[in-house]
Amino acid sequence: MTTVLICDDRRSVREGLTRVMSAVPGVSRIDCVAHGDELLARFSRQPVDVVLVGTQRAVPTGVEATRRLVSANPQANVIVFGAPDDAGSIAAAIAGGARGYLRWDASRPELVAALAHTLASTSVPAPRQPSDPGVQLTDRELQVLRGMSQGKSNGQIGRELYLSEDTVKTHARRLFRKLGVRDRAQAVAHGFRRGLVS
């Protein structure tokens, strides 16, 4: 049986995640905290199998809570939740020690399936690997990926690189395909793992 601790300062998010987690077979206990200090105190007092931490654009609390928890408890299995277009927060949380992430916009069946897999293995499945492990990104694709890792929109990346937004989207689609990922957040997380961005 698996124990879960949810950390997010939004009550509606905590309640929503609790409902979803309640539907995952094998979960024996779900607790919630609102802030990083509570998370550290609760985990040190009563460790759990999986910690779910919510992230928000331009709000560092989720990333900071992840970093502090993993720093104090390297064995903690932290999964972050974030918006699919908030690659910066998700990448920062992964760099801070999170084992993986799930998108806020995942459908309920996708979410339940991903959580069940996570709880079974205590890690989020990594994005599927490219068919050619030696695949290389072009300089332009790397520039687009680095822009994503800094949380920039396609428009902002385009202005910095003197490209149209449509051209940036084309480069993004190509790098997604090469990396075997579905969206910006997965691409950035994969980029951090492979050392393509820092």
Side-chain angles (χ1 to χ4, degrees):
M1 301 302 285
T2 303
T3 54
V4 177
L5 180 58
I6 297 168
C7 178
D8 195 285
D9 58 7
R10 298 160 291 185
R11 181 176 177 179
S12 61
V13 170
R14 296 195 303 271
E15 291 176 348
L17 288 178
T18 298
R19 283 194 298 273
V20 172
M21 292 305 301
S22 298
V24 178
V27 175
S28 61
R29 190 182 79 244
I30 304 168
D31 292 321
C32 296
V33 294
H35 304 290
D37 289 340
E38 294 177 79
L39 175 62
L40 284 169
R42 180 72 64 88
F43 191 91
S44 64
R45 190 169 63 245
Q46 192 171 30
V48 296
D49 298 310
V50 178
V51 179
L52 305 178
V53 179
T55 61
Q56 302 176 64
R57 189 190 312 278
V59 179
T61 51
V63 173
E64 180 64 14
T66 297
R67 187 192 63 75
R68 290 175 61 197
L69 178 64
V70 174
S71 177
N73 305 275
Q75 80 280 13
N77 295 312
V78 181
I79 309 301
V80 295
F81 281 77
D85 61 349
D86 187 12
S89 294
I90 294 172
I94 289 174
R99 298 185 136 235
Y101 77 96
L102 289 169
R103 304 183 333 266
W104 287 123
D105 69 342
S107 69
R108 187 181 181 87
E110 288 175 331
L111 192 55
V112 171
L115 289 173
H117 187 285
T118 298
L119 293 170
S121 62
T122 64
S123 65
V124 168
R128 65 185 190 282
Q129 297 298 311
S131 56
D132 175 7
V135 68
Q136 296 293 318
L137 299 182
T138 65
D139 288 343
R140 192 62 91 187
E141 289 163 351
L142 279 171
Q143 290 171 331
V144 170
L145 180 60
R146 287 173 186 142
M148 291 177 180
S149 74
Q150 295 162 3
K152 295 174 182 173
S153 68
N154 288 338
Q156 289 173 313
I157 295 171
R159 284 192 292 277
E160 290 186 3
L161 300 178
Y162 301 100
L163 300 172
S164 71
E165 189 168 344
D166 284 341
T167 300
V168 172
K169 289 178 181 176
T170 297
H171 286 303
R173 283 193 295 271
R174 287 177 182 159
L175 73 90
F176 290 172
R177 189 166 56 249
K178 287 182 178 181
L179 296 178
V181 300
R182 291 176 309 212
D183 55 37
R184 291 169 64 102
Q186 278 193 338
V188 170
H190 198 71
F192 269 95
R193 291 190 187 103
R194 292 185 57 180
L196 300 174
V197 294
S198 59

